[in-house]
Amino acid sequence: MKKLDIRLLRMIKHSKGQFISVVVIVAVALLIYMLFNVTSINIRSAVDNYYALTNLNDIHIQLVKIPKGALSELLTIEGVKTVQGRVSFDVPLQVENKDERVNIRLISIPPDEEKINILYRLSGKRAKLGIDNAFLLEQFAKARNIGPGDKLSPKINGRVHELSVSGIAASSEFIYLMENEQAIMPVPEKFGVAFVSEEFAQSVSGYGGSYNELLVIVEDESKMDDVIDRLEKKLDKYGVKRMIERKDQLSHNVLIQKMDGVEKMATILPVMFLSVGAIIISIMLSRIVQNDRMAIGVLKALGYSNLSIMSHYTKYVLAIGMIGSFIGITGGLLLAGPFSQLFAVYFNIPLIRIGIYYGFIISALILTSVFCILSGLIGARSVLRIMPADSMRPEAPKSGKRILLERIVFLWRRVAFSWKMVIRNIMRNKRRFAFLVLGLALAYAINTVPLFEAEAFTDIFELQFGQYQKMDYTIEFSRPMNKQVIKDLSHLIDASIMEPELKFPFELKNGWREKTTGVIGLPRSTRLYEFRNSQDVKVTLPEKGFFITEALSKTLQVKKGDRITIKNFVPGKDDIVITVSDVIKQYLGANAYMDIEAMQELLADQQMITGVSMKSQDEVKEKLKDVYNISAVNSVADMKNSFMEYLDTMYVAIVFYLVFGGILGFAIIYNATIIGIAERNMEFASLRVMGFDKKDIFRMVNRENFVMTFIAILVGMPIGLGMINGIINAFSTDIITFPKIIAPSIFINAAAATIFFVVIAQLAARRKIYTMNFIDALKSRIS
Amino acid sequence: MQQVLMKVENVSKSYQMGEVSVNALQNADFELYEGEFVVILGPSGSGKSTLLNIMGGMDLPTEGRILVKDEEITGYNDRKLTAYRREKVGFVFQFYNLMANLTARENVELATEICKGALNIDDVMAEVGLGDRKDYFPSQMSGGEQQRVAIARAVAKNPLLLLCDEPTGALDFQTGILILELLHKINKTFNKTVVIITHNMAIGDMGDRVIKMRSGKIVEIKVNQNPIPPERIEW
Ligand SMILES: Nc1ncnc2c1ncn2[C@@H]1O[C@H](COP(=O)(O)OP(=O)(O)OP(=O)(O)O)[C@@H](O)[C@H]1O
Ligand SMILES: [Mg+2]
């Protein structure tokens, strides 16, 4: 082996701790990169595969009623490949616990094999569906522990029916099982789907011989818009309520957003890690080069070229990069399999093929190479400035300058001697200090993100259901009613406030931008809803015009005072143009609000309501459980409970991030300390000779790191804030808008986490100080 | 007549230090013959190291030329200068300057593995009296032993020219004499041209010629008709 390489190996062996800590950073960066990207690709391809296998619909149409016979006519529409009709409606399910409210969606499937949205992995052999049996969706069956042979008791129009479960199935339409857009997360034990025969569905729902939903497969996905236009025209007379393209389909949409999130993290985290790694590497290397000044002079005197000396030092970085990327990539690939499986199970996606994606290996290697070579060159570039004649000269005395603070004499005099040393030392190498502070600030900023998320989720819930919506229950009717029903309800239930609601999905349009959303009509004097505009000023519903949420205003690109079109699906009603009176805050879901009377007049029918919201301490669920025409009773308390459970799973992610930030903080402080010690060997040795003991020196180093951490936390705050704002923008969806409420506790807790890892790094570095041989330091002249 | 190895023609070196320029070396002009032992003598700051560095291709003069066997090295670019140092010159430094994390033998190999026509390392190590210390690290050796390694490192390349900047500067009298004996032996047995720098007048007596310097100038070049062997030097 080349003697220079031997020297390199011994150098690495000598600074094991430093070397390993940087290798860990590179390895973690690449592990995250590989793991997240490969998992995301695996899931995406599994999902696509699953969609193809089960022939998931391209368009999902909800309409008032369409006779079976009209379907064949639709097939003649240009671009339509297949059409399948079905009856779908949500009903309460009777369960053992009388207080528990469980809803189930009954969906009819064709008597012969389904052509679209084919059920998957139907357990056992396929039983024939009749009027007394059903297939049950897997997630729901699992969550409620229902198996084949068990009985389901849906309550349809006030009558309890009995269906026996003949099989359990998965459906690509419900990968992510959510009741509606307003749900924050899936609650599979509260909402399920059962597939029943057309015969049964039509007979119990009053849709005899017709459907209320259509599933469409198009010939060519790129011509989707044209097909939708043609379908819309054709179906107008059947009262189209909603046309949902696949990209807007609830389960698909959430899934894609999750994957997008994973992929964003797959880039952001590794780049941050590698940046911090590069900072440490370049500082470490320039320290080594500086220390090796004379050795480099000797090498040059011996006739080694600049290139071979540079590559000697760059190999150090290369070794870090190679070992780190090997561990990271292999680890990432190994973990990607189980991780993808885990995701697949979580999302209930069957058939996961785990691929090896060479592209990612290559881009991971390119990414590492760029960072390593860059930091290597930055760190080793001073090799070029060293002259061979330097080998002859004793070490150049370090330039000692007075620092600014010293000029402010009366202040400087007040500083204790040990602090003077600390401050001088920091000022001695300002640029390096700045780099280290930056790296530590990044580590700190990473810590703020998960803390913000945890905080935000709690805030979202408390704002939405504490301040913006004050009701205890919302009741949805199975069909629109006259507002007189409120009187009937108030006889039944003891409620302090009871208000009518009118809610319909409409398509809002601004130019080519469009969005289907629930428009909610409320009494203008509502006491259950509070509206606050973007400036956080309380506003009340206008007589004319309407409110939209911030999320909607972003999607539609409209602001206060703009006019937009509401497309009306209700047969016999015209589209209307309406003014946006204000943009309001809403964190869960994205709705539009207007005066209920105006809405009845413009978009629906006089006196029509679709639900009621109320404030009540009464046994609402119990009292309403047998009431005719009620499809759902939602209790805010129930939602709160399931939300809290969901938060628990988030804590795992938070711990993950804190550990990531911690690894970075540790590596920075550990390396900075070791480098600092090595550099000031002579100085410390002299101090030791003067009678300072180990503890004094350790305390001095401690103080420097403390100052560094303190400044890094200050610098990290705006960086964290920036990252949080990035999260707010990047991860806010139609379903959740992150509030821009940033509690000080986030920054305090992140600081605590950072300090914790700094302390650990200090303790690890302490050994080096305690075992330092100061006699050697005084003797040696060259490394 | 002796063969000319190196011609130093009117070489000057000045350093620009802000406003003022320091003339470290002024109009040095002499020839170096093959196989001779030359001592450069002068007080601290007189320009000895500056001259030696320029001769060894470690630094470039501001004026003048240096010819090695009729080839001008002062016109070399960085790459050629590096090759010159690698193949033609051996350096010995006052503070030995060994690589701390390489053993004695590895330190020597560090120099030989990049040049052609190197001597057998074990022979050279035996020659400098370190046959049994080959696997020691510098920190395990005394100053004198380290300087022997440094000399072995310079000699093993089989250079045309051995340049030593105060090789005894960091050593006691006894050890210094031993090192000088070694250099003397190498000069005689391998017929290598040796140039050593010193500010110790007594050492001048062992050189075939003595170049005396003061404030950047060569003030005298003295030819010793009868150089005395190092073991008879006293100071
Ligand atoms: N890099 C430099 N920049 C500025 N001046 C320099 C530089 N190197 C040397 N000098 C100056 O050149 C002059 C000659 O220096 P040189 O090192 O050649 O002296 P020397 O004779 O070797 O002294 P010593 O016996 O102390 O080693 C000195 O005045 C020194 O200050
Ligand atoms: Mg000198």
Side-chain angles (χ1 to χ4, degrees):
Chain A
M1 202 196 290
K2 285 267 165 54
K3 294 301 156 299
L4 272 184
D5 296 335
I6 292 180
R7 178 169 191 264
L8 183 71
L9 285 183
R10 292 196 183 133
M11 217 155 83
I12 291 171
K13 211 176 112 194
H14 242 91
S15 55
K16 275 192 294 284
Q18 280 177 275
F19 188 81
I20 292 169
S21 66
V22 187
V23 165
V24 166
I25 289 185
V26 175
V28 169
L30 292 194
L31 186 119
I32 295 172
Y33 183 80
M34 290 306 289
L35 184 58
F36 283 21
N37 274 319
V38 171
T39 301
S40 176
I41 289 273
N42 274 335
I43 295 296
R44 277 182 202 266
S45 77
V47 166
D48 283 346
N49 194 21
Y50 187 26
Y51 287 169
L53 202 76
T54 54
N55 210 17
L56 180 70
N57 61 271
D58 292 321
I59 307 168
H60 174 191
I61 305 167
Q62 297 175 348
L63 26 66
V64 176
K65 199 171 192 173
I66 182 166
K68 219 170 164 169
L71 258 60
S72 55
E73 195 190 336
L74 297 178
L75 281 172
T76 61
I77 295 175
E78 191 192 334
V80 172
K81 197 171 166 193
T82 328
V83 180
Q84 184 173 304
R86 69 183 190 185
V87 178
S88 164
F89 52 97
D90 291 6
V91 293
L93 189 73
Q94 287 211 322
V95 290
E96 256 165 60
N97 179 357
K98 300 271 181 240
D99 289 334
E100 200 182 352
R101 187 91 192 190
V102 178
N103 282 343
I104 192 156
R105 182 166 299 162
L106 298 178
I107 295 177
S108 74
I109 53 176
D112 40 328
E113 292 270 289
E114 58 272 19
K115 293 188 294 272
I116 305 180
N117 295 5
I118 301 163
L119 293 183
Y120 188 75
R121 213 165 53 193
L122 201 53
S123 64
K125 86 177 179 321
R126 189 169 184 132
K128 195 135 178 62
L129 283 184
I131 53 159
D132 55 358
N133 63 342
F135 300 142
L136 198 57
L137 189 71
E138 208 174 30
Q139 294 101 302
F140 182 70
K142 246 187 224 153
R144 294 210 69 92
N145 204 8
I146 301 174
D150 290 349
K151 295 267 184 285
L152 294 177
S153 318
K155 195 165 166 194
I156 307 162
N157 289 334
R159 221 192 104 204
V160 178
H161 294 257
E162 189 122 300
L163 292 170
S164 81
V165 176
S166 313
I168 308 291
S171 164
S172 55
E173 192 183 347
F174 299 104
I175 293 176
Y176 208 88
L177 177 61
M178 296 222 283
E179 189 167 357
N180 52 40
E181 274 91 347
Q182 271 65 50
I184 313 161
M185 69 260 153
V187 190
E189 63 271 21
K190 301 282 185 206
F191 173 73
V193 178
F195 302 93
V196 296
S197 66
E198 253 179 46
E199 190 189 354
F200 173 78
Q202 287 175 339
S203 70
V204 295
S205 65
Y207 282 107
S210 42
Y211 301 120
N212 67 346
E213 290 193 356
L214 295 177
L215 305 174
V216 179
I217 300 268
V218 297
E219 301 270 10
D220 181 356
E221 271 171 62
S222 61
K223 297 199 183 99
M224 184 77 92
D225 290 345
D226 301 338
V227 179
I228 285 183
D229 282 347
R230 286 194 277 270
L231 273 168
E232 222 161 70
K233 252 179 235 135
K234 201 77 160 186
L235 290 171
D236 198 36
K237 55 181 175 229
Y238 304 112
V240 177
K241 289 183 190 163
R242 285 183 80 176
M243 288 237 199
I244 308 162
E245 279 178 58
R246 184 184 296 176
K247 68 174 167 52
D248 295 325
Q249 202 222 346
L250 193 52
S251 157
H252 178 77
N253 195 352
V254 174
L255 204 61
I256 292 304
Q257 276 168 6
K258 296 245 164 207
M259 289 304 120
D260 285 349
V262 167
E263 276 164 24
K264 267 178 206 147
M265 279 339 236
T267 312
I268 296 171
L269 283 177
V271 167
M272 281 178 76
F273 266 64
L274 289 177
S275 303
V276 172
I279 289 174
I280 298 178
I281 289 173
S282 59
I283 290 175
M284 211 156 86
L285 209 60
S286 67
R287 199 282 299 181
I288 292 174
V289 168
Q290 218 168 53
N291 243 28
D292 273 3
R293 220 185 97 234
M294 222 173 286
I296 292 165
V298 170
L299 287 173
K300 290 194 175 181
L302 287 175
Y304 280 88
S305 63
N306 274 330
L307 192 69
S308 56
I309 299 172
M310 286 272 277
S311 69
H312 171 54
Y313 291 100
T314 324
K315 269 183 199 165
Y316 184 82
V317 186
L318 223 62
I320 290 175
M322 261 156 52
I323 298 174
S325 49
F326 177 77
I327 296 173
I329 290 174
T330 323
L333 285 177
L334 285 178
L335 285 178
F339 212 66
S340 304
Q341 292 283 14
L342 213 74
F343 253 87
V345 170
Y346 178 69
F347 285 131
N348 224 47
I349 307 166
L351 240 181
I352 178 106
R353 200 189 94 251
I354 285 122
I356 295 183
Y357 298 94
Y358 294 100
F360 283 121
I361 298 181
I362 291 165
S363 54
L365 287 177
I366 291 173
L367 199 66
T368 331
S369 308
V370 168
F371 275 91
C372 284
I373 291 171
L374 225 62
S375 55
L377 290 181
I378 291 173
R381 72 180 191 284
S382 52
V383 163
L384 298 174
R385 285 202 300 269
I386 296 171
M387 299 302 293
D390 280 331
S391 54
M392 310 285 212
R393 242 170 259 138
E395 190 144 357
K398 290 230 170 68
S399 63
K401 263 197 306 191
R402 266 171 200 281
I403 59 174
L404 193 67
L405 193 58
E406 284 178 79
R407 305 228 172 101
I408 313 169
V409 180
F410 77 99
L411 256 181
W412 185 245
R413 249 194 256 133
R414 259 155 245 253
V415 178
F417 173 72
S418 49
W419 278 103
K420 280 183 185 159
M421 301 244 312
V422 168
I423 294 169
R424 273 221 187 89
N425 198 50
I426 288 172
M427 301 312 276
R428 192 149 68 188
N429 205 334
K430 291 194 207 78
R431 206 175 50 171
R432 172 195 302 177
F433 185 75
F435 269 126
L436 287 172
V437 162
L438 185 69
L440 205 55
L442 279 180
Y444 170 77
I446 289 180
N447 281 343
T448 63
V449 170
L451 293 170
F452 164 75
E453 283 180 350
E455 184 79 30
F457 274 103
T458 320
D459 284 350
I460 286 172
F461 200 87
E462 273 165 9
L463 276 175
Q464 182 88 11
F465 294 104
Q467 194 181 352
Y468 299 164
Q469 300 182 10
K470 298 178 184 356
M471 70 289 285
D472 296 315
Y473 296 93
T474 57
I475 294 163
E476 290 166 30
F477 302 134
S478 43
R479 59 176 179 80
M481 305 271 217
N482 185 286
K483 72 175 184 198
Q484 292 306 320
V485 290
I486 293 199
K487 285 221 177 72
D488 304 337
L489 274 173
S490 58
H491 290 311
L492 266 171
I493 293 163
D494 181 20
S496 54
I497 306 173
M498 203 179 273
E499 289 179 358
E501 269 182 30
L502 175 60
K503 181 174 176 181
F504 272 120
F506 287 110
E507 191 178 286
L508 308 186
K509 250 182 125 156
N510 175 38
W512 56 270
R513 288 177 224 269
E514 49 181 47
K515 181 78 199 166
T516 301
T517 193
V519 177
I520 301 175
L522 299 170
R524 283 179 52 218
S525 59
T526 178
R527 283 182 291 161
L528 295 176
Y529 284 83
E530 178 177 318
F531 298 112
R532 281 180 180 267
N533 67 13
S534 309
Q535 288 80 46
D536 212 30
V537 177
K538 225 163 143 172
V539 285
T540 44
L541 274 174
E543 213 170 317
K544 286 180 183 131
F546 76 154
F547 288 165
I548 61 172
T549 60
E550 287 174 338
L552 263 178
S553 82
K554 239 167 69 180
T555 340
L556 292 172
Q557 290 290 316
V558 290
K559 49 184 197 309
K560 182 176 174 178
D562 287 350
R563 291 163 73 80
I564 57 178
T565 309
I566 300 183
K567 286 186 86 177
N568 200 340
F569 296 128
V570 182
K573 287 272 177 181
D574 293 329
D575 294 356
I576 61 166
V577 175
I578 194 164
T579 310
V580 177
S581 312
D582 222 327
V583 175
I584 53 152
K585 295 185 175 193
Q586 178 173 335
Y587 298 125
L588 292 176
N591 295 107
Y593 295 89
M594 61 193 292
D595 173 38
I596 191 165
E597 282 168 17
M599 185 168 165
Q600 284 163 343
E601 194 181 312
L602 292 169
L603 296 164
D605 285 321
Q606 297 290 338
Q607 319 245 307
M608 185 197 263
I609 64 172
T610 58
V612 169
S613 53
M614 62 177 80
K615 205 160 179 58
S616 168
Q617 300 304 311
D618 209 353
E619 304 276 321
V620 177
K621 288 192 164 187
E622 176 62 26
K623 286 191 173 166
L624 291 181
K625 81 177 193 287
D626 291 324
V627 175
Y628 204 69
N629 273 340
I630 287 180
S631 73
V633 177
N634 304 314
S635 140
V636 171
D638 283 356
M639 279 165 72
K640 187 151 193 156
N641 285 338
S642 43
F643 183 71
M644 288 305 153
E645 278 170 36
Y646 178 70
L647 263 190
D648 283 346
T649 63
M650 276 217 23
Y651 286 121
V652 180
I654 291 174
V655 169
F656 235 103
Y657 276 81
L658 289 181
V659 169
F660 285 160
I663 290 174
L664 287 185
F666 176 89
I668 292 167
I669 289 291
Y670 180 77
N671 280 290
T673 309
I674 301 283
I675 291 171
I677 294 168
E679 220 166 47
R680 288 143 64 200
N681 230 345
M682 287 280 249
E683 187 183 321
F684 288 155
S686 316
L687 286 174
R688 289 296 303 282
V689 173
M690 279 161 58
F692 276 68
D693 72 3
K694 293 170 182 172
K695 271 201 207 108
D696 296 326
I697 291 174
F698 179 57
R699 211 171 294 138
M700 210 168 84
V701 175
N702 256 352
R703 283 202 177 129
E704 284 173 29
N705 286 339
F706 170 75
V707 171
M708 186 158 93
T709 310
F710 182 74
I711 298 176
I713 288 174
L714 290 184
V715 175
M717 282 181 187
I719 300 179
L721 212 58
M723 282 167 75
I724 287 170
N725 273 319
I727 294 272
I728 290 175
N729 290 328
F731 291 87
S732 285
T733 61
D734 292 347
I735 296 162
I736 293 185
T737 312
F738 282 104
K740 286 197 172 141
I741 303 164
I742 294 155
S745 66
I746 296 168
F747 292 97
I748 295 167
N749 290 336
T754 305
I755 290 169
F756 174 74
F757 284 102
V758 165
V759 168
I760 292 183
Q762 293 269 52
L763 293 179
R766 187 173 67 169
R767 236 197 64 230
K768 283 268 175 183
I769 295 183
Y770 279 34
T771 57
M772 186 174 86
N773 186 335
F774 67 92
I775 301 294
D776 271 2
L778 287 180
K779 259 188 2 192
S780 83
R781 282 188 33 88
I782 173 174
S783 70
Chain B
M1 190 55 209
Q2 283 167 299
Q3 290 271 330
V4 175
L5 177 69
M6 180 185 279
K7 263 189 201 149
V8 177
E9 292 181 358
N10 214 18
V11 168
S12 298
K13 173 89 185 176
S14 58
Y15 293 104
Q16 201 62 40
M17 302 271 284
E19 300 278 287
V20 289
S21 78
V22 182
N23 292 322
L25 188 65
Q26 291 174 49
N27 306 95
D29 198 285
F30 62 94
E31 286 170 348
L32 212 56
Y33 306 114
E34 273 183 16
E36 72 169 339
F37 196 111
V38 174
V39 178
I40 299 177
L41 205 62
S44 187
S46 56
K48 306 181 295 292
S49 297
T50 306
L51 174 61
L52 197 81
N53 288 344
I54 294 172
M55 286 165 69
M58 299 214 286
D59 215 341
L60 289 169
T62 21
E63 263 171 67
R65 315 194 297 161
I66 288 184
L67 301 164
V68 177
K69 293 195 159 175
D70 295 330
E71 246 200 77
E72 191 192 333
I73 63 158
T74 36
Y76 279 1
N77 61 13
D78 197 52
R79 197 173 53 82
K80 281 181 131 176
L81 218 50
T82 302
Y84 167 70
R85 290 197 298 266
R86 184 188 309 164
E87 304 292 342
K88 307 280 163 60
V89 191
F91 283 101
V92 176
F93 310 96
Q94 180 177 1
F95 297 103
Y96 342 126
N97 293 1
L98 302 177
M99 300 282 158
N101 44 17
L102 294 180
T103 62
R105 197 195 152 85
E106 287 163 353
N107 261 289
V108 178
E109 285 174 318
L110 183 68
T112 57
E113 71 183 10
I114 55 165
C115 70
K116 300 187 267 294
L119 303 175
N120 182 296
I121 290 167
D122 296 305
D123 292 351
V124 177
M125 297 287 282
E127 199 72 41
V128 301
L130 280 177
D132 53 346
R133 297 264 151 115
K134 280 188 288 218
D135 294 326
Y136 282 42
F137 282 96
S139 60
Q140 298 165 323
M141 289 187 281
S142 73
E145 286 162 343
Q146 289 186 52
Q147 194 60 298
R148 283 161 196 272
V149 178
I151 291 171
R153 181 174 68 184
V155 171
K157 291 165 59 157
N158 198 13
L160 280 177
L161 181 68
L162 209 58
L163 300 174
C164 317
D165 194 348
E166 304 202 39
T168 60
L171 302 170
D172 63 52
F173 168 70
Q174 281 299 330
T175 324
I177 293 293
L178 291 173
I179 293 297
L180 289 174
E181 276 177 20
L182 179 61
L183 289 170
H184 195 252
K185 187 172 87 182
I186 285 162
N187 172 246
K188 293 290 167 272
T189 48
F190 296 100
N191 195 34
K192 290 255 154 329
T193 309
V194 175
V195 180
I196 71 170
I197 283 181
T198 181
H199 50 249
N200 188 331
M201 307 275 265
I203 295 176
D205 294 340
M206 70 176 283
D208 297 320
R209 283 195 298 159
V210 182
I211 298 174
K212 287 192 180 160
M213 297 189 66
R214 191 166 303 136
S215 11
K217 289 191 187 110
I218 296 177
V219 289
E220 187 194 348
I221 299 182
K222 193 179 97 187
V223 181
N224 270 343
Q225 294 307 336
N226 291 306
I228 58 166
E231 54 271 26
R232 289 201 0 235
I233 290 175
E234 286 170 31
W235 69 73

